[in-house]
Amino acid sequence: MKRKTKVLGVLGVLGSLSLAGGNTVVQQIVKDQWQTIGPVIYAIWDWLVGVYEWVVHPVVLPLWLVVVVPVALITVIVLLALFARETVGDLSQVAAKLNPTLPPLNESAHKVMEAIVAHTGQVDGLSLKNVARAAGLSQLMCDGALDVLRGWNLIHIGYGMWNTPVTLTEAGRAYILAPGSPLSSLAV
């Protein structure tokens, strides 16, 4: 703050000296060129007075209110738009969980799912080596169906010492229980 005061003081002194010494030069230029610069100075002065009168002109609403209200409205609209965008994203995730899309499965994948569901309540469950026989498929067709079901995360193949159980995942159970599922008859 002190430095700013010193700079302004030095500039003031320099300005005073230049005006004192150059006063006659400035007067001569103004007298000679008044015809040219006079109208420009009067126009600038009239414009400044007009702006001042417009700002201080008494109106029913204060001028600051005319500026603040639109800014506040724009701010509220932007905040509501951001909130709505987040809410729509959340709602779409909830809708996806409530109404899962059913993956397209072929007939062999359906047969494997039927075999897994049929053995779900049993003590041993369904072993990986018995899936093809339980589904009534060749080993190649069964392996292809297992690949498809694992790709859609509908089954889980556990790895044990004596048994390799094949079970439904949460997504697999949701697939069977989903309305409109081709395997919904197995849910009874």
Side-chain angles (χ1 to χ4, degrees):
M1 194 71 168
K2 290 181 182 181
R3 181 180 175 158
K4 194 182 235 185
T5 308
K6 287 181 182 178
V7 170
L8 289 176
V10 169
L11 288 176
V13 168
L14 289 176
S16 299
L17 289 175
S18 66
L19 284 178
N23 192 15
T24 56
V25 174
V26 171
Q27 285 179 353
Q28 189 63 34
I29 290 174
V30 169
K31 284 182 184 176
D32 292 343
Q33 300 297 324
W34 186 251
Q35 303 269 334
T36 307
I37 62 172
V40 173
I41 292 174
Y42 285 132
I44 292 172
W45 179 255
D46 289 341
W47 181 80
L48 289 173
V49 169
V51 168
Y52 173 76
E53 288 175 352
W54 180 75
V55 169
V56 297
H57 184 73
V59 290
V60 176
L61 288 175
L63 189 59
W64 64 269
L65 192 61
V66 174
V67 173
V68 169
V69 168
V71 169
L73 285 175
I74 290 171
T75 304
V76 167
I77 289 170
V78 167
L79 290 176
L80 286 175
L82 291 174
F83 178 72
R85 192 168 75 180
E86 290 177 15
T87 303
V88 168
D90 294 344
L91 289 178
S92 63
Q93 289 175 354
V94 169
K97 283 187 176 182
L98 292 176
N99 301 317
T101 57
L102 299 177
L105 298 179
N106 57 17
E107 185 179 342
S108 60
H110 283 158
K111 286 184 179 180
V112 170
M113 291 280 283
E114 289 174 4
I116 294 170
V117 170
H119 289 84
T120 296
Q122 296 180 0
V123 175
D124 292 336
L126 184 62
S127 175
L128 183 61
K129 63 183 177 182
N130 299 328
V131 173
R133 187 170 24 93
L137 298 170
S138 68
Q139 190 63 45
L140 182 62
M141 292 291 285
C142 180
D143 288 343
L146 288 171
D147 291 340
V148 169
L149 293 171
R150 282 181 62 188
W152 285 102
N153 194 29
L154 297 176
I155 63 168
H156 172 71
I157 299 175
Y159 297 100
M161 285 182 94
W162 311 111
N163 190 9
T164 309
V166 180
T167 58
L168 293 173
T169 62
E170 181 183 343
R173 290 187 295 276
Y175 178 84
I176 292 173
L177 297 173
S181 170
L183 299 176
S184 60
S185 62
L186 299 175
V188 252

